[in-house]
Amino acid sequence: MKQSANLAKNYDPKAFEERIYAAWEKSGAFHAAIDRAKKPFAIVMPPPNITGQLHMGHALDQTLQDVLIRWRRMQGFCALWLPGTDHASIATEVKVAEDILAAEGKSKHELGRAEFLKRAWEWKRVYGGKITEQMRKLGNSCDWERERFTMDEGCSRAVRAYFVRLYEKGLIYRGNRLINRCPRCGTSLSDAEVEHEDKNGTYWYFRYPGADGGAGIVVATSRPETMFADVAIAVHPDDARYSALVGTQVFIPLTGRRIPIIADSYPDPEKGTGAVKITPAHDPNDFEVGERHGLDKPSCIDENAAMTGLAEKYAGMDRFACRKAWVEELTEAGFLVKTEEKVIPIGRCYRCETVIEPLLSDQWFVRMEALAQPAIEAAKTGRLTHVPEHFEKVYLHWLAELRDWCVSRQLWWGHRIPAWHCDACGKIIVAAETPHVCTECGSNELRQDEDVLDTWFSSALWPFSTLGWPEKTEDLAYFYPTSVLVTGYDIIFFWVVRMVFSGLEVMGELPFRHVYVHGLVRDGEGRKMSKSLGNGVDPLEIIERYGADALRFALISGVSAGSDMRFQTEKIESARNFANKLWNASRFVIMNLPEANGVLLPVRGVPRDGARAALPDEDQWILRKTAESAAEITRNMEHFELSTAAQKIYELIWNDYCDWYIELVKERLYGDDAAEKARAISVLVKVLRDILKLLHPFMPFITEEIWGFLPPEADANEADAPPSARDGVLARPLLISAAWPEAAPPPEDLLPAAARIEQAKELIRSIRNIRAEASAAPAKLLNAVIVAAPETLEALRREERHLKKTAGLAAIDYATDKTGVPAESASAVTSGAEIFIPLDELLDYKAEFDRLSKERTRVAGDIARISAKLANPGFTDKAPARLVNAERERLAVCEETALKLAARLAALEKKLS
């Protein structure tokens, strides 16, 4: 065969991955053209940030999605995978601002909003496309014609329409409430954007003296710097210790300010002293107490985390510096009673990890109660399912605890809030389009709200905004609701919850029916990958070294849904070895195919139904095994058991096809019977086609490349004029568009032959184990006795050629009992049969005698050395007892070994005499 008609000798993914991807794109295979005759299957990609590059989390997330999309596409669905990127408000603004500062020495405020936004859009133009190019390297079969960006014109229109809709329904309001403030990013954050951690910290117990000159009350706090904004001390109404103090007043130490002692259900009598300082402007629980009692809400910390004038001489000082100085002053003045080290919950910004500051602020909020309830019901009634199921608890818990969502951000990059303030009368106008005059007073002195919306506000609309909403588009009507959302468990509350309640509110339907939740990719030690630890792994470097298929298969195999995985290079290498195994097996098959003038000829199809009974047993076995695997793998895919499906494909290819079937048919391929060779080739090619189809969603590049070298079936339309190889891919339909193997029950007519082969395989494995344990030379042919019932022996006789060739047997005796079995035999028991091999067949007595003689000499030397050591008083008297005892135990073991060797050598001498 000419080299051009076969695969390259060595598997080198760099030689074809880029070419294959270009062929897919050129063919239009990724584009989901609406076809009413087909069922839709749609996935919207969680949009990566334009600031980043592909990391292992993206690689896992997108591989899972691509597997599902490719599988459904092959099943005949109109499969849409809609890609896009996220503007990532905070992250992008910080990155652009840092770059400007580094290059020009200017802050964003010195640059101005208009110029800064111009630079941000330029950043998006330059860097936004980089991650999509990286996605192509991974093999993502996205519909790039439908690629979206969260701030493109259509998505921006949807954001404004949704904001106006909620505002008009009373579900969005502007209010002065407690929010999470990141002083470093300079913006408010939603509760979901605050990462909580427990850290060791200090509780200070301070005495607040009574205003009447009494002892007052002792309060524990972990944030002494907020004492300047205290407005009350709260105790539980049932706490008898303080009942006489309720209604009295105390002084905030060293300030001269009086505050009341009030009764409220919030304090826990079992914690601390049972008395709690109430600071409504700096603690969410205190804020609620303040609302119930109508308390003032003064602030002592500003939006930059500096102390305000309320802190008097500490005004302008950083909050933590103030804490240290204030505690020292209170201690010197005698107000500190004691300190206590405890674990304290700390909230940090999810972007920069700065400790957040709860602050009172005028912000825009979404009322959550009415929106959350339908989302809760959707999960409880089973309309929305989570895979794995236990993540539904996370989803429901978050919804149950959801407070009103602060959606305004003090940033410039993002969707600017569609609200205008009239400077003439104070009216706030919310509109989808820019108003020119005030609807209240007619003034044209309108000023748009400075804030932008939370990134997750626009992301919440992703499943329907990307399909054209608020317009009634064909895409929206056909593909919504989408089929499944694939996402990491770390953003269930960030994104999933918000998409669900937004989809129900706007569309009246869930945005997807299933949520497939995967874990995180951690390093080899189980740590989260991060820049600070320097343990991140660049997937593009892995692709460059091992190929995209190896990375994809390693990420998806051996990990159950929802579980974190440890990234290990060994897994990548194992996946590449798997690809190499398939490559070499395919090359072997193609090498044996009929050809004319360097072009492969069509291969006759495999007989169907009853005619298959005429095929040799090994053909029937592999055909049934493939059909059985296809049904199981399809079932696994339908239940989102992708890792299990990958493992079954691996076993089918590596074990059944490569290690067994190819070995079993080599005798026919190399024989003189042309008809048998043709039959073997037809089955080899038929099964290879099927396993390429099954593997394609997981390892698309190598399967497409191999597919391109396979000839058409004899009854194909192009049989009269076989295509010629062109750039390694034959000029006919691509594998990406081929039909998924039928997931029908395995053919029953193939069962008897398949059972015979399975029994033969079991015997062969047993014989190989016996040979290995006896160190029998691989080339040595053995004689064997098989003892079984008559019907089993009859079946095994049909497989004698396989038993002899594959297990290395010269002759086989079949018996129904052990009467004629040599006394000295190695044996093994299999299902329904026993195998015996005479030891005389297995062992080379002379070689064994020589080996054991050398071993006896070595052991004798060990005995002499240890005995001498133990006879030396310098060792036995001075060495630790444990070392002396250890040497004595070693001597006993060596002496026992010497006795066994002597007995074995004596027996061998008799055999050799």
Side-chain angles (χ1 to χ4, degrees):
M1 172 180 288
K2 290 186 179 179
Q3 181 63 32
S4 60
N6 201 348
L7 297 165
K9 184 176 181 181
N10 297 315
Y11 168 59
D12 179 12
K14 284 192 283 190
F16 58 83
E17 285 191 349
E18 188 174 330
R19 167 173 48 77
I20 290 286
Y21 198 90
W24 287 332
E25 284 207 86
K26 185 177 180 181
S27 74
F30 300 164
H31 182 60
I34 293 174
D35 184 346
R36 301 291 175 183
K38 293 182 177 181
K39 287 184 179 180
F41 181 85
I43 297 177
V44 290
M45 176 189 290
N49 295 347
I50 58 170
T51 56
Q53 64 176 35
L54 201 69
H55 57 64
M56 277 299 169
H58 290 130
L60 171 61
D61 188 67
Q62 292 171 17
T63 295
L64 291 166
Q65 293 171 71
D66 196 38
V67 167
L68 291 169
I69 280 292
R70 287 178 181 271
W71 165 57
R72 288 300 197 188
R73 185 185 291 124
M74 294 175 76
Q75 280 196 318
F77 286 75
C78 182
L80 167 65
W81 187 14
L82 197 151
T85 49
D86 194 295
H87 64 282
S89 188
I90 296 178
T92 303
E93 180 148 328
V94 168
K95 186 65 179 173
V96 174
E98 286 175 349
D99 280 11
I100 293 169
L101 186 63
E104 304 174 33
K106 293 182 178 179
S107 70
K108 71 174 189 177
H109 295 287
E110 290 174 311
L111 203 63
R113 184 168 194 151
E115 181 60 25
F116 179 83
L117 289 177
K118 182 180 175 182
R119 304 288 185 88
W121 278 107
E122 178 63 16
W123 168 278
K124 189 267 175 189
R125 186 189 68 79
V126 174
Y127 294 100
K130 283 191 175 182
I131 197 163
T132 59
E133 288 306 311
Q134 293 165 357
M135 285 190 256
R136 286 173 163 86
K137 295 276 189 186
L138 189 61
N140 292 354
S141 60
C142 307
D143 189 342
W144 295 111
E145 295 177 39
R146 287 185 170 93
E147 183 180 356
R148 301 301 299 269
F149 174 54
T150 50
M151 280 178 62
D152 66 28
E153 185 178 349
C155 288
S156 296
R157 187 166 57 251
V159 166
R160 292 193 299 271
Y162 185 51
F163 188 95
V164 172
R165 177 192 180 99
L166 294 184
Y167 182 79
E168 290 177 348
K169 294 182 72 171
L171 295 174
I172 280 184
Y173 65 94
R174 183 170 172 80
N176 185 259
R177 295 181 62 86
L178 202 67
I179 54 94
N180 305 298
R181 172 83 183 184
C182 175
R184 182 176 178 186
C185 293
T187 183
S188 57
L189 302 172
S190 70
D191 290 342
E193 292 170 309
V194 178
E195 293 185 344
H196 296 277
E197 64 173 336
D198 292 332
K199 295 201 71 174
N200 293 327
T202 302
Y203 267 88
W204 289 270
Y205 286 72
F206 294 112
R207 181 175 298 282
Y208 285 59
D212 59 0
I217 197 166
V218 176
V219 174
T221 179
S222 63
R223 301 197 64 204
E225 69 275 13
T226 64
M227 290 169 62
F228 299 105
D230 288 351
V231 294
I233 302 294
V235 296
H236 197 279
D238 298 333
D239 194 337
R241 293 174 296 176
Y242 302 121
S243 56
L245 293 178
V246 174
T248 65
Q249 293 186 327
V250 293
F251 286 116
I252 299 175
L254 296 178
T255 67
R257 289 178 45 232
R258 296 171 178 245
I259 56 175
I261 297 176
I262 62 175
D264 191 270
S265 59
Y266 168 59
D268 183 349
E270 301 298 320
K271 290 184 177 180
T273 64
V276 179
K277 63 191 260 336
I278 302 301
T279 319
H282 298 291
D283 183 275
N285 294 310
D286 293 2
F287 179 84
E288 299 299 331
V289 174
E291 289 286 278
R292 288 196 289 272
H293 293 268
L295 300 174
D296 290 339
K297 303 177 181 67
S299 295
C300 65
I301 301 174
D302 68 16
E303 60 186 16
N304 297 313
M307 305 306 294
T308 69
L310 195 61
E312 300 174 350
K313 66 181 179 181
Y314 299 108
M317 185 180 288
D318 173 77
R319 54 184 168 167
F320 297 130
C322 171
R323 176 187 295 179
K324 183 179 179 181
W326 177 231
V327 166
E328 288 177 359
E329 185 177 359
L330 288 169
T331 302
E332 290 173 3
F335 291 101
L336 178 66
V337 176
K338 67 173 184 175
T339 61
E340 183 179 16
E341 298 303 307
K342 295 188 71 174
V343 173
I344 299 171
I346 303 292
R348 296 184 182 275
C349 173
Y350 81 116
R351 279 294 172 193
C352 68
E353 299 185 355
T354 300
V355 175
I356 61 99
E357 186 62 49
L359 286 180
L360 273 177
S361 180
D362 290 327
Q363 302 288 340
W364 291 91
F365 296 87
V366 175
R367 297 187 197 278
M368 287 309 308
E369 187 175 355
L371 291 170
Q373 197 54 43
I376 292 171
E377 289 302 314
K380 287 185 173 180
T381 58
R383 290 186 295 128
L384 178 68
T385 63
H386 288 75
V387 181
E389 188 177 348
H390 66 263
F391 280 105
E392 183 179 292
K393 292 181 181 178
V394 178
Y395 167 92
L396 290 173
H397 173 75
W398 188 258
L399 278 168
E401 298 293 321
L402 211 52
R403 295 188 297 182
D404 285 359
W405 173 20
C406 176
V407 293
S408 45
R409 298 289 179 270
Q410 291 68 61
L411 301 167
W412 289 349
W413 175 247
H415 295 279
R416 196 164 177 180
I417 291 176
W420 286 260
H421 301 259
C422 177
D423 290 334
C425 70
K427 170 78 173 176
I428 296 178
I429 303 164
V430 172
E433 302 297 334
T434 304
H436 299 290
V437 295
C438 175
T439 54
E440 184 76 19
C441 68
S443 171
N444 61 3
E445 297 179 27
L446 300 180
R447 171 179 45 85
Q448 188 173 1
D449 200 290
E450 293 290 323
D451 291 351
V452 300
L453 286 162
D454 179 3
T455 296
W456 300 102
F457 190 91
S458 55
S459 299
L461 316 184
W462 193 245
F464 50 91
S465 66
T466 53
L467 295 174
W469 188 85
E471 307 300 325
K472 294 181 179 180
T473 63
E474 282 191 83
D475 276 4
L476 188 63
Y478 184 68
F479 289 112
Y480 190 93
T482 63
S483 305
V484 58
L485 176 78
V486 179
T487 187
Y489 63 67
D490 54 332
I491 58 172
I492 289 177
F493 42 84
F494 276 115
W495 193 37
V496 178
V497 165
R498 290 179 166 88
M499 280 190 290
V500 171
F501 69 65
S502 299
L504 289 169
E505 164 63 25
V506 171
M507 301 296 297
E509 288 184 88
L510 287 163
F512 29 75
R513 299 178 182 88
H514 308 285
V515 181
Y516 179 93
V517 183
H518 61 77
L520 307 180
V521 182
R522 299 184 178 274
D523 71 6
E525 297 177 25
R527 301 173 301 174
K528 188 174 181 179
M529 291 185 179
S530 68
K531 289 181 180 178
S532 59
L533 290 174
N535 62 345
V537 179
D538 184 353
L540 296 180
E541 291 180 6
I542 299 297
I543 290 171
E544 175 68 19
R545 184 174 177 185
Y546 297 99
D549 287 328
L551 174 61
R552 289 168 62 108
F553 200 80
L555 287 173
I556 210 167
S557 57
V559 181
S560 57
S563 300
D564 289 350
M565 70 166 291
R566 294 190 178 193
F567 180 85
Q568 296 171 320
T569 304
E570 293 81 4
K571 280 191 72 177
I572 304 290
E573 291 171 346
S574 175
R576 193 186 191 283
N577 290 341
F578 173 50
N580 195 61
K581 179 97 168 180
L582 174 63
W583 185 269
N584 290 336
S586 302
R587 193 169 186 277
F588 171 81
V589 172
I590 296 168
M591 191 184 303
N592 284 280
L593 298 181
E595 61 160 317
N597 300 319
V599 177
L600 297 177
L601 299 175
V603 172
R604 188 176 302 280
V606 173
R608 295 179 178 274
D609 303 326
R612 290 181 300 210
L615 292 171
D617 282 2
E618 64 269 22
D619 291 354
Q620 295 186 55
W621 167 75
I622 194 63
L623 289 170
R624 191 178 197 280
K625 194 75 178 177
T626 306
E628 185 178 58
S629 297
E632 290 178 0
I633 290 163
T634 302
R635 234 177 355 256
N636 293 141
M637 300 285 273
E638 288 169 346
H639 290 88
F640 300 104
E641 298 163 351
L642 306 189
S643 179
T644 303
Q647 183 60 34
K648 288 179 180 175
I649 296 167
Y650 177 94
E651 291 169 0
L652 175 65
I653 294 173
W654 189 293
N655 299 336
D656 299 321
Y657 188 72
C658 296
D659 283 357
W660 282 104
Y661 182 65
I662 288 178
E663 291 304 312
L664 293 176
V665 298
K666 278 183 178 178
E667 187 177 18
R668 291 156 64 198
L669 290 175
Y670 299 151
D672 297 327
D673 190 328
E676 274 304 312
K677 181 173 183 178
R679 286 206 296 181
I681 286 172
S682 68
V683 176
L684 276 167
V685 173
K686 153 70 177 167
V687 175
L688 181 54
R689 284 196 184 101
D690 283 346
I691 62 178
L692 290 176
K693 290 176 181 179
L694 292 170
L695 182 61
H696 178 73
F698 299 87
M699 302 180 87
F701 290 108
I702 186 174
T703 52
E704 189 73 77
E705 179 72 354
I706 294 169
W707 180 266
F709 281 89
L710 294 182
E713 291 184 309
D715 56 355
N717 293 331
E718 64 267 37
D720 294 329
S724 57
R726 185 182 67 236
D727 296 329
V729 180
L730 294 180
R732 67 167 184 279
L734 297 165
L735 174 58
I736 191 174
S737 304
W740 182 256
E742 185 181 2
E748 289 301 316
D749 60 319
L750 304 182
L751 182 56
R756 289 192 293 270
I757 289 293
E758 287 295 341
Q759 194 163 37
K761 284 172 57 188
E762 192 176 1
L763 278 169
I764 291 166
R765 279 193 292 263
S766 296
I767 295 168
R768 285 173 173 173
N769 288 338
I770 291 172
R771 297 180 72 110
E773 289 170 6
S775 301
K780 184 175 183 179
L781 297 179
L782 307 174
N783 294 317
V785 179
I786 298 175
V787 178
E791 60 273 15
T792 303
L793 294 177
E794 181 184 349
L796 291 173
R797 282 191 179 96
R798 296 183 61 165
E799 311 306 332
E800 183 169 309
R801 63 188 176 90
H802 296 316
L803 292 170
K804 285 183 174 180
K805 181 172 179 56
T806 313
L809 300 179
I812 303 173
D813 290 333
Y814 300 93
T816 57
D817 58 47
K818 302 177 186 177
T819 304
V821 174
E824 291 190 352
S825 297
S827 64
V829 179
T830 65
S831 302
E834 286 184 85
I835 181 81
F836 297 90
I837 298 177
L839 289 181
D840 290 348
E841 294 282 333
L842 282 168
L843 299 177
D844 181 335
Y845 290 112
K846 178 64 171 67
E848 182 69 357
F849 184 86
D850 292 343
R851 186 184 71 81
L852 292 178
S853 295
K854 290 178 181 178
E855 181 68 6
R856 181 173 61 180
T857 301
R858 185 190 67 77
V859 171
D862 288 345
I863 290 172
R865 183 181 56 79
I866 297 170
S867 296
K869 193 173 186 180
L870 290 172
N872 179 8
F875 172 71
T876 54
D877 295 344
K878 297 179 181 179
R882 59 183 178 81
L883 294 181
V884 175
N885 290 334
E887 288 299 307
R888 286 174 177 153
E889 288 174 6
R890 287 182 61 200
L891 178 61
V893 169
C894 287
E895 288 173 339
E896 184 180 355
T897 301
L899 290 173
K900 290 179 180 179
L901 286 169
R904 184 66 182 141
L905 284 166
L908 286 171
E909 278 184 317
K910 289 181 182 179
K911 291 280 187 183
L912 292 169
S913 61

Coordinates of all heavy atoms in Angstrom, one line a residue, residues 180-185 189 194-195 197 199 223 225 301 303-305 318-320 323 345-350 352-358:
N180 N -22.5 45.5 50.5 CA -21.2 45.1 50.7 C -20.3 46.0 49.8 O -20.5 46.1 48.6 CB -21.0 43.7 50.2 CG -21.9 42.7 50.9 OD1 -21.9 42.5 52.1 ND2 -22.8 42.1 50.2
R181 N -19.3 46.6 50.4 CA -18.5 47.6 49.7 C -17.1 47.0 49.6 O -16.5 46.7 50.6 CB -18.5 48.9 50.3 CG -17.5 49.9 49.8 CD -18.0 50.6 48.6 NE -17.0 51.6 48.0 CZ -17.3 52.4 47.0 NH1 -18.5 52.4 46.4 NH2 -16.4 53.2 46.5
C182 N -16.5 47.0 48.4 CA -15.1 46.6 48.3 C -14.3 47.9 48.1 O -14.4 48.6 47.1 CB -14.8 45.7 47.0 SG -13.0 45.4 46.8
P183 N -13.5 48.3 49.1 CA -12.8 49.6 49.0 C -11.7 49.6 48.0 O -11.4 50.6 47.5 CB -12.2 49.8 50.4 CG -12.2 48.4 51.0 CD -13.3 47.6 50.4
R184 N -11.2 48.4 47.6 CA -10.2 48.4 46.6 C -10.7 48.5 45.2 O -10.2 49.3 44.4 CB -9.4 47.1 46.7 CG -8.2 47.0 45.7 CD -7.4 45.8 45.9 NE -6.3 45.7 45.0 CZ -5.5 44.6 44.9 NH1 -5.6 43.6 45.7 NH2 -4.6 44.6 43.9
C185 N -11.8 47.7 44.9 CA -12.4 47.8 43.6 C -13.3 49.1 43.5 O -13.7 49.5 42.4 CB -13.3 46.6 43.3 SG -12.3 45.0 43.1
L189 N -21.0 45.3 46.1 CA -21.0 43.9 45.7 C -22.3 43.2 46.1 O -22.8 43.6 47.2 CB -19.8 43.1 46.2 CG -18.4 43.6 45.9 CD1 -17.4 42.8 46.8 CD2 -18.1 43.5 44.5
V194 N -19.4 38.0 47.6 CA -18.6 38.0 48.8 C -18.2 36.6 49.2 O -19.1 35.7 49.3 CB -19.4 38.7 50.0 CG1 -18.5 38.6 51.2 CG2 -19.8 40.1 49.6
E195 N -16.9 36.3 49.2 CA -16.5 35.0 49.6 C -16.2 35.0 51.1 O -15.4 35.8 51.6 CB -15.2 34.6 48.8 CG -15.5 34.4 47.3 CD -14.3 34.0 46.5 OE1 -13.2 34.1 47.1 OE2 -14.5 33.5 45.4
E197 N -14.8 33.3 54.6 CA -13.9 32.3 55.2 C -13.8 32.5 56.7 O -14.1 33.6 57.2 CB -12.5 32.6 54.6 CG -11.9 33.9 54.9 CD -10.4 34.0 54.4 OE1 -9.8 33.0 54.3 OE2 -10.0 35.2 54.3
K199 N -11.6 32.6 60.0 CA -10.2 32.9 60.4 C -10.1 33.1 61.9 O -11.0 33.5 62.6 CB -9.6 34.1 59.7 CG -9.5 33.9 58.2 CD -8.5 34.9 57.6 CE -7.1 34.5 57.9 NZ -6.1 35.4 57.2
R223 N -15.0 44.0 66.0 CA -14.7 45.2 65.2 C -14.8 46.4 66.1 O -15.8 47.2 66.0 CB -15.7 45.2 64.1 CG -15.7 44.0 63.1 CD -16.4 44.3 61.8 NE -15.6 45.4 61.1 CZ -16.2 46.2 60.2 NH1 -17.5 46.1 59.9 NH2 -15.5 47.1 59.6
E225 N -13.4 49.2 65.9 CA -13.4 50.5 65.2 C -14.8 51.0 64.8 O -15.0 52.1 64.5 CB -12.6 50.3 63.9 CG -13.1 49.4 62.8 CD -12.8 48.0 63.0 OE1 -12.4 47.6 64.1 OE2 -13.0 47.2 62.0
I301 N -17.2 54.7 59.0 CA -16.3 54.3 58.0 C -16.8 54.7 56.6 O -18.0 54.4 56.3 CB -16.0 52.7 58.1 CG1 -15.5 52.3 59.4 CG2 -15.1 52.3 57.0 CD1 -15.4 50.8 59.6
E303 N -16.5 55.0 52.2 CA -16.5 54.0 51.1 C -15.1 53.6 50.7 O -14.9 52.6 50.0 CB -17.2 54.6 49.8 CG -16.5 55.9 49.3 CD -17.3 56.5 48.2 OE1 -18.5 56.2 48.0 OE2 -16.7 57.4 47.5
N304 N -14.1 54.3 51.2 CA -12.7 53.9 51.0 C -12.1 53.2 52.2 O -10.8 53.0 52.2 CB -11.8 55.2 50.7 CG -12.3 55.9 49.4 OD1 -12.5 55.2 48.4 ND2 -12.5 57.2 49.5
A305 N -12.9 52.8 53.1 CA -12.5 52.1 54.3 C -11.7 53.0 55.2 O -10.8 52.5 56.0 CB -11.8 50.8 54.0
D318 N -7.1 54.6 58.2 CA -7.5 53.3 57.7 C -8.2 52.5 58.8 O -7.8 52.6 60.0 CB -6.4 52.5 57.2 CG -6.8 51.1 56.8 OD1 -7.4 50.9 55.7 OD2 -6.5 50.1 57.6
R319 N -9.3 51.8 58.5 CA -10.1 51.1 59.5 C -9.3 50.2 60.4 O -9.5 50.1 61.6 CB -11.2 50.3 58.8 CG -10.7 49.4 57.8 CD -11.8 48.7 57.0 NE -11.3 48.0 55.8 CZ -11.9 47.1 55.1 NH1 -13.1 46.7 55.4 NH2 -11.3 46.5 54.1
F320 N -8.3 49.5 59.8 CA -7.6 48.5 60.6 C -6.5 49.2 61.5 O -6.2 48.8 62.6 CB -7.0 47.4 59.7 CG -8.0 46.6 59.0 CD1 -7.9 46.4 57.6 CD2 -9.1 46.0 59.7 CE1 -8.9 45.6 57.0 CE2 -10.0 45.3 59.0 CZ -9.9 45.1 57.7
R323 N -8.4 50.5 64.3 CA -8.7 49.4 65.3 C -7.6 49.3 66.3 O -7.8 49.2 67.5 CB -8.9 48.1 64.6 CG -9.2 46.9 65.5 CD -9.2 45.6 64.7 NE -10.4 45.6 63.8 CZ -10.7 44.6 63.0 NH1 -9.8 43.5 63.0 NH2 -11.7 44.6 62.2
P345 N -15.9 34.8 61.2 CA -16.2 34.8 59.7 C -15.8 36.1 59.1 O -16.1 37.2 59.6 CB -17.7 34.6 59.6 CG -18.2 35.1 61.0 CD -17.1 34.8 62.0
I346 N -15.0 36.0 58.0 CA -14.6 37.2 57.3 C -15.1 37.2 55.8 O -15.0 36.1 55.2 CB -13.0 37.3 57.2 CG1 -12.4 37.2 58.6 CG2 -12.6 38.5 56.5 CD1 -12.7 38.5 59.5
G347 N -15.7 38.3 55.4 CA -16.1 38.4 54.0 C -15.1 39.1 53.1 O -14.6 40.2 53.5
R348 N -14.8 38.5 52.0 CA -13.8 39.1 51.1 C -14.4 39.3 49.7 O -15.2 38.5 49.3 CB -12.5 38.3 51.0 CG -11.8 38.2 52.3 CD -10.5 37.4 52.1 NE -9.7 37.2 53.4 CZ -8.9 38.1 53.9 NH1 -8.7 39.2 53.2 NH2 -8.3 37.9 55.0
C349 N -13.9 40.3 49.0 CA -14.3 40.5 47.6 C -13.8 39.3 46.8 O -12.7 38.9 46.8 CB -13.6 41.8 47.1 SG -13.9 42.1 45.3
Y350 N -14.7 38.8 46.0 CA -14.4 37.6 45.2 C -13.4 37.9 44.1 O -12.8 37.0 43.5 CB -15.7 37.1 44.5 CG -16.2 37.8 43.3 CD1 -16.3 37.1 42.1 CD2 -16.7 39.1 43.3 CE1 -16.7 37.8 40.9 CE2 -17.1 39.7 42.2 CZ -17.2 39.1 41.0 OH -17.6 39.7 39.9
C352 N -10.7 40.6 44.3 CA -9.4 41.1 44.8 C -9.1 40.6 46.2 O -8.0 40.8 46.7 CB -9.3 42.6 44.7 SG -10.4 43.4 45.9
E353 N -10.0 39.9 46.8 CA -9.8 39.3 48.2 C -9.7 40.3 49.3 O -9.3 40.0 50.4 CB -8.7 38.3 48.2 CG -8.8 37.2 47.2 CD -7.7 36.2 47.3 OE1 -6.7 36.4 48.0 OE2 -7.8 35.1 46.6
T354 N -10.0 41.6 49.0 CA -10.0 42.6 50.0 C -11.2 42.4 51.0 O -12.3 42.0 50.6 CB -10.1 44.0 49.4 OG1 -9.0 44.2 48.5 CG2 -10.2 45.1 50.5
V355 N -11.0 42.6 52.3 CA -12.0 42.5 53.3 C -13.1 43.5 52.9 O -12.8 44.7 52.8 CB -11.5 42.6 54.7 CG1 -12.7 42.6 55.7 CG2 -10.5 41.6 55.0
I356 N -14.4 43.0 52.7 CA -15.4 44.0 52.4 C -15.9 44.7 53.6 O -15.7 44.3 54.7 CB -16.6 43.2 51.7 CG1 -17.2 42.2 52.7 CG2 -16.2 42.5 50.4 CD1 -18.5 42.7 53.4
E357 N -16.5 45.9 53.3 CA -17.0 46.7 54.4 C -18.5 46.9 54.2 O -19.0 47.4 53.2 CB -16.3 48.1 54.4 CG -16.7 49.0 55.5 CD -16.3 48.4 56.9 OE1 -15.1 47.9 57.0 OE2 -17.2 48.3 57.8
P358 N -19.3 46.4 55.2 CA -20.8 46.7 55.1 C -21.0 48.2 55.3 O -20.5 48.8 56.3 CB -21.4 45.9 56.2 CG -20.3 44.9 56.6 CD -19.0 45.6 56.3

